[in-house]
Amino acid sequence: RPPRSTPLSLHDALPISLPQLEIAVGAAMLGVIGIVFSLSIFSIQQVAERGTTFTLREYANDWVFRFVYWALAVFAFVAMVSALQKSESGLYRICLVLGILFATVLMLGIYFQRVMKFVDPHFTITKVAKRASKLLRQCQRAESAVQGEIRCQRAGRRT
C-alpha cells in the first residue's frame, strides 16, 4: 500500500457528511420525543387505572414535562437548522450535535425521574391537595374582600 501524501480530514474519516449527521440527529430527536411520550403515557395510564384519575390531568399540567418536551423539540429544530450552515464551521457543528445529544440524555433522565414520581399515587394526591388548598386560600381572600366591600356599602347607606 503506498503511503498517503495528504493527512486524513474529517470528511475522509466520516462515512457521511456533516449535514447528513445533523439531519439524522434531528430526526432521531423527533423519534425520541415520540417514544418518550408513548412510554410515559402508558405507565401513567396504568397508574391512573389503579389509583386516582387526577394522575393524567396532573401529568398534562406538569411544568417539568412541558419543559422537557419543548427542550427536545428545540434540540431537534437546532440540529436540523445546523445542517443548513456553511461547511466552514465544522468543529462548531460537531460540538453542537454532541451537546444536543448530551443534553438529550440529561433531559431524558429528568423526564423519567418525574414519571417515576407520578407513578407514586401519594405524589399526585399531594400535588392535587396543595393546589386545592392554594385555590381555597384565594377564594377566602376574595370572599373576605367582598364582605369588606359589602360592609362599607351598608355603612355608607346608614349615614
Side-chain angles (χ1 to χ4, degrees):
R1 198 168 166 182
R4 264 194 133 157
S5 60
T6 59
L8 284 174
S9 67
L10 182 62
H11 180 65
D12 295 334
L14 292 175
I16 62 172
S17 69
L18 197 51
Q20 289 173 330
L21 176 67
E22 292 163 333
I23 290 171
V25 167
M29 292 298 305
L30 294 174
V32 165
I33 292 170
I35 291 169
V36 165
F37 181 75
S38 299
L39 289 176
S40 61
I41 284 294
F42 175 75
S43 63
I44 289 175
Q45 281 178 337
Q46 296 297 315
V47 171
E49 287 177 7
R50 289 180 291 155
T52 175
T53 57
F54 285 110
T55 303
L56 289 176
R57 186 183 329 162
E58 289 301 312
Y59 170 82
N61 292 331
D62 191 55
W63 69 271
V64 174
F65 290 135
R66 288 181 183 180
F67 174 76
V68 169
Y69 282 127
W70 276 106
L72 292 176
V74 167
F75 294 161
F77 179 76
V78 168
M80 297 286 192
V81 168
S82 174
L84 301 175
Q85 292 182 349
K86 293 183 179 181
S87 61
E88 291 102 27
S89 58
L91 181 61
Y92 165 75
R93 290 165 56 190
I94 288 175
C95 291
L96 181 67
V97 168
L98 291 176
I100 287 173
L101 291 175
F102 177 75
T104 299
V105 170
L106 182 68
M107 287 289 161
L108 291 177
I110 292 169
Y111 188 88
F112 283 116
Q113 287 176 356
R114 192 67 171 189
V115 168
M116 288 301 109
K117 284 186 177 182
F118 272 89
V119 169
D120 180 18
H122 183 265
F123 174 77
T124 306
I125 292 169
T126 303
K127 268 189 87 165
V128 170
K130 284 180 182 177
R131 190 177 57 228
S133 64
K134 181 180 173 184
L135 290 173
L136 179 62
R137 282 191 300 272
Q138 289 175 350
C139 289
Q140 288 171 339
R141 283 193 296 261
E143 179 186 23
S144 173
V146 168
Q147 287 176 350
E149 186 66 30
I150 291 172
R151 272 186 252 126
C152 286
Q153 287 180 352
R154 287 181 182 166
R157 281 189 225 159
R158 291 182 189 163
T159 55

